[in-house]
Amino acid sequence: MDDRRQESMESAVIAAVCGEVRGDFKSGRTRSLDWRLAQLKSIVDLIKKHEEDITEAVAVDMGKPSYECFASEIFPVKSACQLAIKNLKNWTAAVNVPPLLATLPASASMKPEPFGVVLIISAWNFPFLLSLDPMVGAIAAGNAVVLKPSEMAPATSALIARLLPLYLDKSAIRVVEGGIPETTALLQQKWDKIFYTGSPRVGRIVMAEAAKNLTPVTLELGGKSPVIVDSSSDLKVATRRIAVGKWGNNNGQACVSPDYVLVDSSCSTKFIEAMKDTLKSFYGENPRESMDISRVVNINHFNRLVGLLDDPNIASKIAHGGEKDETKLYIAPTLLEDVPLDSKVMSEEIFGPILPIISVRSIDEAIDIVNSRPKPLALYLFTKKDKVKEKVIAETSAGGMVVNDCCLHFLTTTL
């Protein structure tokens, strides 16, 4: 069978799936509060009964340690479900608002309603979380859902495709597995909302396809998340918390992982030495043998990261680490010292175990560097000075900010 005929058949199958889901939404079943609660409780039940299966699948895809899988994949989804179950009645209630004097004796109210049929395109780096967490919101709002898990995490994708029909309404909630052809076919359908997690490059494709039908889109994209460390910081505490946010967070393969550090020049040498000590205490003298660190997801990303390290402007800047093992998709936790600001490692999201550390002369210089680049997804600041904290908050902008820690906002379901 030639490729065009195969693609035509795949498109027809996907169009049929989408049509069935839309028909189910039109029946009105998903609007029911009872239906929504039943689906959310079923997700909690799925997690309770299959936590070991989820952990195993994520380990196959990412080499992610079990405790990290629980903290970053399982716990957040379960918490999101529980939060939605607790608040669903209030979230869905009509809100009365005062009418204009000229409209009296009329009353006025606002009633939340579902978009309709929602497409969720997930990412590979948190393959369970980024598939199920957006689904929790979509279901809570009364939508029907088609989920496309990432083909780059095949074990987790297969597990989700197997388990969801056993626990959730398989008429209104469907899973479509596959790669680029299936995603392309999905984007050619009419949706009422699209939620995409991934790279800015693919995000542009998603938005362009959505624009054809004026479909609203939520794009959760990556970026370079900086860390600012001022001279008042407790360096031992700072390095440990940065290391957890970087290498303890999917080995740097997370959109909110620290991407680079701007450290006051008066303590930059001490900071690097403290970070070396922290890495040794976390992962031992030979991190290659550690069971507490995820691996690079695949050979393409491994080669991309190796290319960053092999840049002639970067190779001489390695202050720690740099070892590589292609057979195990392993790159050691690597510190780079004072890399050029115009280098590739400072212009694209690293998404791996490499951390550039750049000395700055003042907090103003650090702020200028942050503001000279695209708005970061997250910004982290380590300081004991309230005036520094207030200054950075007032003079920078980011998707989220944490002071004296990293990534905690990611786990805070109330934010």
Side-chain angles (χ1 to χ4, degrees):
M1 184 182 298
D2 62 48
D3 291 343
R4 283 180 295 180
R5 186 178 176 189
Q6 179 68 33
E7 288 178 11
S8 177
M9 289 181 65
E10 290 170 350
S11 297
V13 170
I14 286 172
V17 168
C18 298
E20 291 167 8
V21 173
R22 185 167 294 281
D24 203 74
F25 175 76
K26 286 181 178 179
S27 73
R29 290 190 315 110
T30 68
R31 292 174 177 266
S32 160
L33 202 62
D34 290 340
W35 182 89
R36 305 182 202 190
L37 287 170
Q39 307 312 306
L40 294 171
K41 290 176 181 177
S42 292
I43 294 176
V44 175
D45 192 36
L46 181 157
I47 291 172
K48 286 180 178 179
K49 292 180 179 178
H50 297 279
E51 182 174 327
E52 188 174 327
D53 295 327
I54 296 164
T55 302
E56 183 179 335
V58 174
V60 169
D61 288 329
M62 299 296 305
K64 190 174 290 188
S66 59
Y67 69 88
E68 187 181 331
C69 181
F70 175 81
S72 66
E73 303 266 7
I74 294 169
F75 173 76
V77 175
K78 188 175 179 180
S79 296
C81 284
Q82 292 168 336
L83 181 70
I85 290 167
K86 179 181 178 181
N87 292 284
L88 193 58
K89 189 173 182 180
N90 290 334
W91 290 349
T92 57
V95 178
N96 294 323
V97 296
L100 293 174
L101 181 64
T103 65
L104 291 175
S107 61
S109 64
M110 297 184 293
K111 172 70 175 175
E113 64 176 23
F115 277 101
V117 182
V118 175
L119 171 64
I120 298 171
I121 304 174
S122 182
W124 54 265
N125 55 330
F126 293 89
F128 186 77
L129 171 70
L130 296 179
S131 294
L132 273 291
D133 195 56
M135 183 180 287
V136 170
I139 290 171
N143 297 288
V145 179
V146 174
L147 168 65
K148 166 60 181 65
S150 174
E151 71 278 10
M152 292 173 64
T156 309
S157 177
L159 181 68
I160 290 171
R162 178 172 67 84
L163 292 181
L164 257 58
L166 301 179
Y167 286 85
L168 303 183
D169 184 335
K170 55 189 175 185
S171 298
I173 301 168
R174 301 287 287 270
V175 179
V176 174
E177 290 193 279
I180 293 174
E182 288 76 16
T183 304
T184 301
L186 284 167
L187 288 172
Q188 291 170 351
Q189 306 304 310
K190 172 69 173 70
W191 304 99
D192 301 304
K193 173 80 174 182
I194 298 175
F195 191 105
Y196 168 75
T197 304
S199 70
R201 180 183 63 82
V202 178
R204 292 184 181 93
I205 296 171
V206 171
M207 183 164 276
E209 290 298 318
K212 295 176 182 178
N213 293 305
L214 299 180
T215 301
V217 178
T218 297
L219 299 177
E220 202 285 280
L221 308 177
K224 295 183 75 65
S225 297
V227 183
I228 299 174
V229 180
D230 90 336
S231 58
S232 70
S233 303
D234 183 322
L235 296 184
K236 183 176 181 180
V237 172
T239 54
R240 290 176 71 87
R241 293 179 179 178
I242 293 168
V244 170
K246 180 70 171 180
W247 297 280
N249 189 13
N250 207 23
N251 202 11
Q253 298 169 112
C255 54
V256 293
S257 282
D259 192 274
Y260 62 97
V261 178
L262 302 170
V263 59
D264 191 284
S265 58
S266 66
C267 61
S268 59
T269 300
K270 291 181 180 179
F271 176 86
I272 291 173
E273 292 306 311
M275 184 62 81
K276 290 179 183 179
D277 291 340
T278 292
L279 290 172
K280 289 177 183 177
S281 70
F282 279 12
Y283 306 115
E285 292 289 342
N286 185 5
R288 188 195 311 258
E289 298 175 357
S290 174
M291 300 299 293
D292 295 327
I293 192 166
S294 302
R295 61 174 171 80
V296 177
V297 65
N298 60 33
I299 190 62
N300 291 333
H301 280 272
F302 177 88
N303 289 335
R304 178 184 62 80
L305 292 165
V306 169
L308 294 178
L309 293 177
D310 288 346
D311 182 335
N313 294 319
I314 299 301
S316 62
K317 302 292 185 178
I318 296 175
H320 180 79
E323 297 83 12
K324 305 176 284 288
D325 184 345
E326 182 178 324
T327 63
K328 295 184 177 180
L329 296 177
Y330 167 80
I331 296 176
T334 300
L335 307 178
L336 306 178
E337 185 174 4
D338 285 332
V339 299
L341 291 177
D342 60 354
S343 60
K344 195 171 183 181
V345 78
M346 285 300 295
S347 60
E348 67 176 47
E349 186 178 15
I350 295 171
F351 226 66
I354 302 166
L355 185 65
I357 299 168
I358 297 167
S359 300
V360 293
R361 290 163 294 183
S362 64
I363 197 69
D364 288 309
E365 184 181 358
I367 290 171
D368 287 344
I369 291 172
V370 172
N371 289 340
S372 68
R373 295 161 183 274
K375 182 186 292 190
L377 189 60
L379 171 62
Y380 307 114
L381 169 67
F382 287 84
T383 183
K384 292 181 180 178
K385 298 177 180 178
D386 287 339
K387 286 187 177 180
V388 172
K389 179 180 74 172
E390 292 165 4
K391 181 180 179 66
V392 173
I393 292 173
E395 297 182 17
T396 63
S397 179
M401 183 174 176
V402 181
V403 179
N404 291 323
D405 215 320
C406 294
C407 305
L408 292 187
H409 64 305
F410 178 70
L411 299 173
T412 307
T413 56
T414 51
L415 286 175

